[in-house]
Structures are given as C-alpha cells and as structure tokens.
C-alpha cells in the first residue's frame, strides 16, 4: 500500500509540474530524439509503427557520444521532467542495427530525472547479435516511471542453449548478450511492463538501482530440452561436440540428456552494484510480478536495503526463486523444469510459497534446497491441490554451479532453520544440519544433529 501511495503522490507531483506545459504532438523518431533531449514537456507520439533505421542514419551514428562507461544509445532521454505518451506506438529495431556502434548499446536510454514513459512497444526484428552486448532499455535516471512498456526481444549469439556454452572467461563459444530492461537509478518505478525474450540475457534486472519498484510486470522466456539440443546436426553446440561448461552428476562436461533449459537468463535479477558510478544496489520490491520459462524467475538478495517479493509467480523456470536475506510473501511457483526454491547462506530469509501441482516431464532433482542459518520457510499446496510426483526438500544443501539442473548440489553447515511444510513432499536433513525445526505432513529423514521433527 505504501508503494502504491508513493506512485500516486509521484504522479500528482509530476502532474503539477506540467499544469502549464503544452502538449506537443510528434510523428517521427527524429522529433522524438529532439524532445528526448529537452526538459519540461509533455510529448504525445502519433500511434503507428516506426522503424529505427529511418532515424539511425550514418550521420546520427557518427554524432552519437557514449556515456562514461562506453555505452551508446540509439535514442537517449537526457532531458528531465518530461512525459512521453506512446499509446499505440510500436518502434521496430532491425537487429542489424545493433552492431553499428561496434560497442555496448542500448536501444533506449533514460538518463534524465523525473521521466515518465508510457504505452511504448519495442520489437526487435531478426536475430543479429550486438557487437559487444547491451540492453533494450536502460533506466539510469532517478525518479523515473516506466509504465505499460512492452519489449519483444531478439538478437544474441549463441542462442538456443541457455548458459551451457558459457559466458565470459572460459566460454566455449564467444557470447554476445542482449538483455532487456536494466534499472540503475534511484526511486525508479516499473509498472505494468512486459518483456518477451527470444534472446540470451536478463529480462528485468537491477544494477545499482535503489528503492526500485516492479509492479504488475511480466517476463517470459523460451525453454528447450537438452534432448532437442543433442539432436542438432550443425550449429555452435554441434561444433564443440555438445560440450558444456558445467559438469553433470557423472563429472562430465557435456550437455546431458533428460533436462529442460531456459534459453534466457533471469526474469527478475539483482546485481551487487552498477550504473556509470558503480553504486551499490539498494532496496528492491516486486509486487504481483510473473516470470515464465526463464533461467531463474526471481534472483534477488539483500545488498544494502530491504528486498521484498510479494504476490508473485514463477512458472516453467529452471529455478523459481533464488533468494537470500529477504522476504518472499504470498507467492507461488512450480517445479516443472527445475526446483521451486533455493535459499542461500547469508542474512535471515523469510519465505512463504505455495507449490503449484503441475508435474515435471524432464528431470528435476529437488523441490527446494536450503542453506545457511535461521531462515524461516513456509511451503504449502496451492489451493490445497496435491502434486503427485515427490521432489525432496533438502536442508544443508547448496545450489549447483550456476543453478544448472544437471549439475550436482553441494552441502554446507546449516542450523536454526524453521521449515513448515504442507506440500506432502519429503524432507531430508543431511549430516551438516543442526538445531533445525521441521513441521511437515510428508516423510522426514533426519541425518543431522539436535533437529526437532514435528509430524502434522
């Protein structure tokens, strides 16, 4: 409620700033770029489909300057105190344009403060990768409101294998990522936005953002079975003999049959720091948000401020929730393509999740893995609907490398966990667990020390 009130107050204050501002109507990307660099205006763009290539001429490219960390922008919103109404507007970006700067590039870059953008659809055409990676949408300014923006993303290489061929140092194939919406500013609000990704990269992610709100946002990726990857007769994976940077349970660095991978990164992700000044990430809230078919639905952890995930959903993800030092409240998820939950070492985590009944068609090894101390975890059945397949909840267990489903989990000393389990799934406390309290309506196996087991 406080977050919603803050949005209303912000909107009222923004409106007050524009009481005397005239509404400016535009119908070209050239006009948009001009007014994006000015301040104190209300800009309404004529509905229709616009082509980025009509604006991004060689002359525009030559005169475009990077920010101080070397990122270029196709269109930069450098002005402040502006409202841009894009209702009914689609801007198409031919992905061949992603290499014109021969550097990291954002299609749209919000640099100014108090910028309100609403109603825009951005659609990438084709699947040509960026020269050195980048974002569809960067929100670096403070007090921005990004509302009802839809990103239809493509343009990365390699695409079709998720992270199995690696990223960064040690990658089997050089990676050119294309991520979605990056939040780097203070008090930014992302409302009713959607990302549909056919690109390797994150959907919504925070790097250096502080007091960031995601509300009613939707992130959707694409999944593919490892069996389908192994059926290829050409392509990047075929060229490296279907090797993987991750080991499987047999200790082999190969793409392993029987699993499902997301071809994207996370639906919602937090990094430790970011932005042009490398500031530490602060408080982040996600309310009524959904991640579907992404590598991780919500990869959030406390860094310098409180983090809350509330009334949210993760479905079809390789991992639903990868969390630490935060609160997950009244949220749901499945274990169709991977675990529902990993809780990591660090500050106390409080989780309240309901398990959807949808069952797996490929291999999943655990429902949840809980590591660290004094977390409070409540797992229930969604609408009291039972899941037939048993997946164990493991205490004293750490996530596998990069959360990869066919890589083995680890173990770590874990104590003081309170688990209230109403899913009927089994619970396993390993020899590294101690002083834990488990209340469960499923089978409990206790190999630890001084744990308290209460049967429901």
């Amino acid at each position: 409620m406080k977050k919603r009130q803050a949005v209303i107050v912000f909107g009222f204050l923004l409106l007050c700033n524009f009481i005397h501002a005239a509404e400016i109507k535009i119908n070209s990307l050239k006009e948009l770029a001009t007014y994006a660099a000015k301040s104190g205006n209300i800009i309404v763009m004529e509905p229709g489909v616009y082509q980025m290539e009509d604006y991004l001429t060689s002359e525009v490219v030559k005169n475009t300057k990077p920010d101080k960390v070397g990122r270029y922008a196709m269109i930069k919103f450098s002005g402040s105190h502006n409202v841009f109404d894009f209702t009914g507007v689609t801007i198409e970006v031919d992905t061949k344009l992603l290499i014109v700067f021969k550097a990291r590039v954002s299609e749209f870059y919000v640099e100014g403060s108090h910028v309100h953008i609403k109603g825009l659809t951005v659609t990438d055409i084709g699947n040509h990768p960026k020269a050195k990676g980048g974002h569809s949408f960067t929100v670096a300014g403070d007090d921005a409101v990004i509302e009802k923006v839809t990103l239809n993303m493509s343009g990365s290489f390699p695409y079709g294998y998720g992270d199995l061929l690696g990223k960064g140092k040690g990658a089997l194939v050089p990676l050119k990522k294309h991520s979605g919406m990056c939040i780097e500013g203070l008090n930014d609000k992302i409302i009713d936005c959607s990302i549909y990704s056919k690109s390797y990269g994150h959907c919504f992610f925070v790097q250096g953002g502080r007091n960031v709100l995601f509300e009613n946002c939707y992130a959707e990726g694409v999944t593919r079975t490892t069996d389908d990857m192994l059926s290829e007769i050409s392509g990047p994976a075929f060229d490296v003999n279907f090797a993987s940077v991750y080991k499987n349970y047999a200790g082999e660095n190969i793409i392993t049959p029987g699993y499902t991978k997301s071809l994207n990164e996370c639906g919602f992700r937090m990094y430790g720091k970011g932005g042009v000044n490398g500031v530490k990430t602060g408080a982040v809230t996600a309310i009524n948000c959904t991640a579907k078919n992404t590598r991780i639905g919500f990869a959030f952890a406390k860094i310098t401020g409180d983090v809350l995930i509330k009334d949210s959903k993760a479905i079809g993800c390789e991992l639903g929730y990868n969390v630490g030092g935060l609160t997950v409240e009244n949220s749901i998820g499945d274990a169709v393509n991977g675990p529902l939950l990993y809780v990591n070492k660090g500050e106390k985590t409080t989780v309240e999740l309901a398990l959807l009944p949808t069952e797996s068609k490929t291999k999943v090894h655990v429902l949840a893995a809980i590591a660290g101390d004094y977390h409070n975890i409540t797992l229930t059945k969604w609408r009291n609907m039972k899941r037939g397949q048993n997946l164990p909840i493991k205490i004293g267990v750490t996530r596998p490398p990069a959360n990869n489903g066919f890589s083995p989990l680890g173990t770590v000393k874990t104590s003081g966990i309170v688990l209230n389990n109403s899913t009927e799934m089994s619970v396993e406390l390993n020899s590294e667990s101690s002083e834990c309290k488990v209340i469960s309506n499923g089978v409990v196996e206790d190999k630890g020390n001084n744990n308290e087991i209460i049967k429901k």
Side-chain angles (χ1 to χ4, degrees), residues 218-230:
Y218 181 85
E220 181 174 328
V222 179
T223 60
R224 186 185 187 195
T225 65
T226 53
D227 295 72
D228 190 49
M229 298 176 194
L230 292 167

Side-chain angles (χ1 to χ4, degrees), residues 269-453:
R269 169 72 193 268
M270 289 174 60
Y271 283 87
K273 62 181 181 179
V276 294
N277 297 314
V279 299
K280 286 187 176 181
T281 299
V284 176
T285 299
I287 298 176
N288 194 35
C289 293
T290 297
K292 180 180 180 181
N293 296 343
T294 58
R295 189 184 71 182
I296 304 171
F298 297 85
F300 280 7
K302 182 176 181 179
I303 299 165
T304 64
D306 292 338
V307 179
L308 171 67
I309 302 169
K310 182 178 179 181
D311 302 334
S312 293
K313 180 192 298 185
I315 51 176
C317 301
E318 270 188 69
L319 168 61
Y321 298 81
N322 182 34
V323 296
L326 51 74
T327 298
V328 180
E329 183 179 321
N330 192 40
S331 294
I332 64 177
D334 63 25
V336 170
N337 294 322
L340 170 67
L341 173 69
Y342 288 157
V343 181
N344 303 308
K345 293 177 63 178
E347 293 191 40
K348 179 180 177 180
T349 301
T350 301
V351 173
E352 183 184 86
L353 278 175
L355 174 64
L356 292 163
T358 323
E359 300 191 356
S360 312
K361 294 182 179 179
T362 51
K363 293 180 186 176
V364 179
H365 293 282
V366 294
L367 177 67
I370 302 168
D373 303 320
Y374 304 109
H375 306 310
N376 194 322
I377 313 299
T378 300
L379 301 177
T380 61
K381 292 181 290 187
W382 182 73
R383 296 182 178 174
N384 206 34
M385 296 175 68
K386 182 177 180 180
R387 187 182 196 274
Q389 293 173 324
N390 179 65
L391 283 176
I393 301 163
K394 297 192 176 187
I395 297 176
V397 169
T398 59
R399 56 192 172 130
N403 305 294
N404 181 56
F406 62 69
S407 297
L409 296 100
T411 60
V412 67
K413 289 188 180 299
T414 297
S415 64
I417 302 298
V418 176
L419 171 65
N420 192 329
N421 171 41
S422 300
T423 65
E424 300 185 24
M425 299 294 106
S426 62
V427 179
E428 300 175 12
L429 296 99
N430 68 13
S431 60
E432 298 290 325
S433 66
S434 63
E435 307 292 339
C436 297
K437 181 178 181 180
V438 175
I439 306 155
S440 180
N441 61 358
V443 174
V444 179
E445 181 182 8
D446 181 12
K447 295 181 180 179
N449 299 298
N450 300 319
N451 295 313
E452 180 183 2
I453 312 300

